[in-house]
């Protein structure tokens, strides 16, 4: 049989070492929490793990696992290790999920900051002065491939290559394009009433805006709106913001600001206080210029120095 092949038949002496395994479990555990023998399993040639029930209320369904082993042609069984392992019905903590995956829309409150990754695909660089679009620009090849994978549609090519808006000669067509052919439009009073209402909900005097690191006017998630209200309001497009999909004042703000923070870097361990891998020289005799022994031109060298 190969050395790497596990034997399905437990070793007889290791299987009979229940008392040795129980004593090891009781030594490692708190008195009174080691229960009945709950079976065993062969881990390999002359290696057996014994399981004992755990009576600790905080570890329901867990088992004490004690592994014993025996050397080849030896009659003495020795202890390998003792651990507390979860059983099939053990009560365990849920699997850890990173904060970026736990966060849901509406979870952010006043004073909370939402770090934004520098490579967040929802944002792109502003005007850079270069003709080549940014990698995460909607008109870049990389973004086109990503959107295609997401079953979305984008118009290929740069803005210069896009078809121009056809010229319309009639005043009616221009008015229709500008939204002016409706029977009635908002009056100045209607605009002011709407602006006051939006500012009360998502304006600078709200608790969220008071605790925000910056205002919406500098946020990359702000989508401008047209008309006269665009001078004071915009549309929030951050799904984690409490104002997602809402008209917000340019003076509003929240912790989801695109430039509020960056993704935290992974923690780096502190340097060791004592470097045990380095050997410090320790001379048996003091250096002549150390001041411990003064050697004159006619004085013999002292063997051990003097104080």
């Amino acid at each position: 049989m190969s050395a790497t092949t596990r034997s399905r038949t437990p070793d007889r002496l290791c299987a009979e070492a229940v008392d040795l395994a129980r004593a090891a479990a009781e030594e490692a555990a708190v008195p009174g929490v080691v229960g009945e023998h709950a079976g065993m399993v062969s881990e390999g040639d002359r290696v057996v793990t014994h399981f004992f029930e755990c009576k600790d209320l905080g570890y329901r369904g867990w088992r004490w696992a004690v592994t014993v082993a025996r050397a080849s042609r030896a009659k003495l069984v020795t202890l390998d290790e003792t651990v507390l392992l979860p059983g099939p019905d053990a009560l365990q903590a849920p699997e850890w999920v990173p904060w970026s995956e736990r966060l849901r829309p509406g979870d952010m409150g006043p004073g909370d900051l939402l770090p934004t990754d520098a490579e967040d695909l929802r944002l792109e660089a502003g005007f850079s002065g270069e003709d080549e679009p940014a990698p995460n620009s909607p008109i870049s090849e990389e973004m086109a491939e990503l959107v295609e994978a997401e079953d979305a549609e984008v118009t290929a090519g740069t803005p210069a290559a896009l078809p121009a808006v056809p010229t319309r000669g009639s005043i009616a067509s221009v008015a229709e394009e500008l939204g002016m052919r409706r029977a009635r439009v908002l009056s100045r009073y209607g605009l002011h009433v709407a602006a006051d209402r939006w500012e009360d909900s998502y304006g600078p005097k709200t608790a969220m805006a008071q605790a925000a690191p910056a205002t919406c006017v500098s946020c990359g998630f702000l989508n401008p709106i047209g008309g006269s209200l665009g001078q004071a309001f915009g549309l929030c497009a951050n799904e984690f913001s409490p104002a997602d999909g809402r008209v917000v004042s340019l003076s509003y703000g929240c912790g989801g600001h695109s430039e509020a923070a960056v993704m935290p870097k992974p923690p780096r361990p502190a340097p060791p206080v004592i470097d045990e891998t380095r050997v410090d020289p320790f001379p048996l005799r003091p250096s002549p210029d150390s001041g411990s022994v003064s050697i004159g031109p006619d004085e013999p060298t002292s063997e051990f120095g003097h104080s």
Side-chain angles (χ1 to χ4, degrees):
M1 181 179 292
S2 175
T4 58
T5 303
R6 292 186 176 181
S7 176
R8 295 184 178 181
T9 304
D11 181 76
R12 182 180 62 82
L13 295 180
C14 291
E16 294 175 353
V18 178
D19 295 337
L20 174 64
R22 176 181 293 278
E26 292 177 348
E27 182 180 356
V30 179
V33 299
V34 179
E36 300 296 330
H37 187 258
M40 61 182 176
V41 62
S42 176
E43 303 288 356
D45 293 341
R46 299 177 299 279
V47 180
V48 173
T49 297
H50 293 272
F51 296 101
F52 299 91
E53 296 179 356
C54 181
K55 295 183 178 181
D56 194 336
L57 297 179
Y59 291 88
R60 187 181 64 192
W62 289 59
R63 302 179 298 179
W64 287 100
V66 182
T67 303
V68 295
R70 182 176 65 88
S72 178
R73 293 187 298 275
K75 296 183 179 181
L76 181 63
V77 178
T78 58
L79 177 66
D80 192 353
E81 64 176 352
T82 303
V83 294
L84 182 63
L85 298 177
D89 301 328
L91 179 62
Q92 301 184 60
E95 183 180 357
W96 183 82
V97 180
W99 67 265
S100 57
E101 300 179 12
R102 294 196 306 265
L103 190 65
R104 293 292 180 268
D107 291 347
M108 189 165 49
D112 295 338
L113 289 181
L114 177 60
T116 303
D117 190 355
E119 304 297 331
D120 195 329
L121 294 178
R122 298 174 299 170
L123 299 171
E124 64 174 331
F127 178 72
S128 61
E130 299 180 0
D131 296 334
E132 187 70 19
N136 57 340
S137 174
I139 59 176
S140 65
E141 296 181 1
E142 293 84 350
M143 183 59 64
E145 296 176 357
L146 177 63
V147 174
E148 183 178 356
E150 296 290 341
D151 297 329
E153 296 181 358
V154 292
T155 303
T158 61
L162 296 179
V165 178
T167 304
R168 298 182 177 90
S170 63
I171 298 179
S173 62
V174 176
E176 182 177 0
E177 182 178 351
L178 297 178
M180 299 176 61
R181 292 194 63 186
R182 293 169 292 172
R184 291 189 294 180
V185 296
L186 277 174
S187 64
R188 181 176 297 272
Y189 173 76
L191 291 174
H192 279 284
V193 171
D196 292 341
R197 184 174 61 255
W198 295 340
E199 196 168 52
D200 289 341
S201 301
Y202 300 98
K205 296 182 180 180
T206 59
M208 182 69 72
Q210 293 292 328
T215 58
C216 294
V217 69
S218 59
C219 181
F221 292 108
L222 180 73
N223 189 26
I225 60 176
S228 58
L229 289 177
Q231 302 176 12
F233 296 92
L235 186 66
C236 179
N238 188 350
E239 61 178 324
F240 298 109
S241 171
D244 179 37
R246 304 297 184 90
V247 177
V248 297
S249 170
L250 299 182
S251 302
Y252 180 72
C254 69
H257 194 283
S258 61
E259 314 305 325
V262 296
M263 293 290 291
K265 297 181 180 179
R268 300 181 58 183
V273 179
I274 300 178
D275 190 356
E276 298 180 350
T277 63
R278 186 181 63 180
V279 178
D280 296 330
F282 185 77
L284 297 177
R285 300 177 182 179
S287 176
D289 58 349
S290 64
S292 175
V293 179
S294 59
I295 301 177
D298 299 333
E299 296 180 3
T301 304
S302 177
E303 181 68 17
F304 299 101
H306 61 82
S307 57

